[in-house]
Amino acid sequence: MREIAIEGLTLGMCLSKDIYNDLGNIILSQGTEIAEKHLDYFRKHGIYFVYIEEIDDIISRDRYKNAMAHKLKDLNHAYGEVLSQFKTLYFEIENKNYTFDINAVKEGLMELIDTLLSDNDILGSMRVIALDENYHFTHAVNVAMLSAMICKWLNLDKETIYMASLSGLLHDVGKAQVSQTLLFKSDDLEAEEFEQLKMHSRFGYESLKNNPTIPKAVLAAILFHHERSDGSGYPSGLKEEQTPYFARIVAVADVFDAITSDKIYKKGVSSFKAFTIIKDESFRGLDPNISEVFLSNIAAFFVNNRVRLSDGREGEVVYINKYALNRPLVKVSNAFIDLSTDYSLEIEEVIS
Ligand SMILES: [Fe+2]
């Protein structure tokens, strides 16, 4: 990039840096092509110099845009493949027909994992896949994706990533045998209904345990993904290290996607509220190391995001405090609000 005086600008040049007004709001963003109206604006507002892209910047930007377009296409294709295979399996389990060969999912799931692992922006990737689809199906694929990313951040090998991701995909498949009325009930469940819902982990395990194509470690994750280290989970009330590793990975991914996803009857919570919930849960039952790795990697992507605070004001996340990942420093107009010390406010919504 290079800084250039307004007099030297040519129409069609592109800004290589955002331009802010006195209140700190972006008035022209990076990548904007200079038009006549912009020159007038600069003159009227006393802007004498701007940064513009040079040829190398333009080539690398175009390459980046092409790469992103390709990635998006690959991601949508792989997501669609995995979703479709999962639905086939789900309906087989609903109809108590257990002949599914899990290897049919492997190619699509590996493609999805490869696309995801090419960068770290898992939530960005998940945001661009907007599907008008049953939550229980999208939740399965989302948890498969999140589980894969957690494994990457834990520096685990490719085969382990695949196994954890498959565990994420299949973790709730037993819900196929829970009544639809219960699955989509908007009110709080009665105690007896909750007991029925809790049966889904056992239903999933029982349905697949004799299928020779499902690895044993994946079966264990299906059965134990609701176990918690304080013994409060189900179906067995396992404690701490007794819970299999994939089940612990899937548990973190499951909780995050479940509380941030919009359902028919309820809007999901903001990612920052979800960070708080996962952090709290890690003191009670979610694996604290896995939770920490997940939160510290995922929170970093929210720098520069616009957010709405609980008092209605909007601002921009400028710094994530590693000791308080859920309470970043936010710039509102010209003021900085440090949520790690100001507990009167919280982030209500991530806008962009
Ligand atoms: Fe579950």
Side-chain angles (χ1 to χ4, degrees):
M1 74 174 80
R2 120 181 108 99
E3 194 175 26
I4 186 167
I6 301 307
E7 293 73 28
L9 284 175
T10 306
L11 300 184
M13 281 178 165
C14 284
L15 292 175
S16 62
K17 269 190 173 183
D18 298 333
I19 297 180
Y20 292 83
N21 64 13
D22 293 342
L23 296 174
N25 299 321
I26 294 177
I27 48 167
L28 283 176
S29 55
Q30 178 189 354
T32 302
E33 280 189 26
I34 303 292
E36 192 65 50
K37 63 179 179 183
H38 299 135
L39 296 177
D40 288 344
Y41 185 92
F42 296 150
R43 288 184 201 109
K44 280 181 192 156
H45 290 82
I47 297 171
Y48 303 111
F49 293 92
V50 293
Y51 284 92
I52 56 118
E53 291 182 334
E54 296 195 90
I55 289 296
D56 286 350
D57 299 326
I58 293 166
I59 291 170
S60 61
R61 187 196 64 200
D62 286 350
R63 277 197 190 133
Y64 177 74
K65 272 189 182 167
N66 277 338
M68 288 312 289
H70 265 108
K71 183 185 162 182
L72 193 57
K73 200 167 146 228
D74 291 347
L75 199 62
N76 270 306
H77 176 260
Y79 192 101
E81 284 286 306
V82 175
L83 189 83
S84 153
Q85 293 289 349
F86 177 74
K87 283 165 78 170
T88 305
L89 173 63
Y90 191 91
F91 292 131
E92 278 197 8
I93 290 183
E94 192 174 34
N95 296 317
K96 301 196 165 54
N97 167 18
Y98 310 131
T99 56
F100 193 88
D101 181 350
I102 206 63
N103 292 313
V105 172
K106 187 161 187 175
E107 193 180 330
L109 191 54
M110 288 303 267
E111 191 186 330
L112 186 61
I113 292 169
D114 283 341
T115 315
L116 279 179
L117 300 190
S118 60
D119 70 43
N120 272 326
D121 188 8
I122 171 77
L123 293 188
S125 297
M126 286 169 69
R127 262 198 299 268
V128 296
I129 305 170
L131 284 177
D132 186 15
E133 187 51 275
N134 178 329
Y135 160 76
H136 295 291
F137 300 146
T138 52
H139 176 64
V141 189
N142 290 348
V143 174
M145 292 163 76
L146 288 164
S147 300
M149 284 310 293
I150 291 172
C151 289
K152 180 190 171 185
W153 293 327
L154 288 164
N155 291 318
L156 301 176
D157 63 77
K158 192 74 179 287
E159 186 56 25
T160 309
I161 293 176
Y162 168 69
M163 295 278 275
S165 187
L166 185 59
S167 302
L169 184 70
L170 302 182
H171 75 289
D172 268 351
V173 79
K175 284 188 175 170
Q177 292 182 352
V178 173
S179 98
Q180 292 280 307
T181 324
L182 210 62
L183 289 183
F184 291 100
K185 189 172 177 188
S186 54
D187 304 327
D188 289 342
L189 297 179
E190 304 289 335
E192 192 187 322
E193 291 173 323
F194 188 52
E195 289 306 312
Q196 283 182 48
L197 182 67
K198 280 161 70 173
M199 289 302 291
H200 74 275
S201 48
R202 202 170 275 289
F203 289 156
Y205 172 78
E206 293 291 337
S207 303
L208 295 172
K209 72 177 182 189
N210 293 323
N211 185 319
T213 68
I214 312 279
K216 294 276 178 281
V218 174
L219 286 173
I222 295 170
L223 183 59
F224 294 127
H225 70 276
H226 283 289
E227 297 293 352
R228 296 294 183 261
S229 62
D230 61 359
S232 65
Y234 61 87
S236 304
L238 300 181
K239 286 193 173 175
E240 299 183 356
E241 302 297 307
Q242 293 173 312
T243 305
Y245 198 49
F246 290 153
R248 284 186 263 156
I249 291 172
V250 168
V252 174
D254 178 27
V255 169
F256 182 77
D257 190 65
I259 57 184
T260 54
S261 294
D262 292 339
K263 318 249 175 37
I264 297 171
Y265 51 88
K266 198 165 85 182
K267 196 168 163 39
V269 304
S270 85
S271 293
F272 283 95
K273 282 191 178 171
F275 297 164
T276 306
I277 293 168
I278 288 183
K279 198 169 166 222
D280 291 348
E281 286 294 314
S282 73
F283 293 119
R284 287 194 285 270
L286 288 177
D287 185 302
N289 294 328
I290 295 170
S291 302
E292 171 67 24
V293 166
F294 174 72
L295 293 179
S296 58
N297 278 281
I298 216 157
F301 286 94
F302 288 90
V303 174
N304 296 330
N305 272 209
R306 286 196 69 72
V307 292
R308 182 174 297 109
L309 298 176
S310 46
D311 64 358
R313 285 183 293 170
E314 290 184 12
E316 184 181 324
V317 174
V318 289
Y319 177 72
I320 303 276
N321 181 342
K322 70 175 180 176
Y323 300 107
L325 297 165
N326 53 335
R327 305 196 66 84
L329 183 67
V330 178
K331 186 179 180 203
V332 177
S333 298
N334 280 334
F336 289 91
I337 300 173
D338 186 352
L339 297 178
S340 70
T341 53
D342 182 350
Y343 276 74
S344 67
L345 289 168
E346 61 182 336
I347 292 175
E348 203 61 41
E349 187 183 1
V350 178
I351 304 166
S352 63

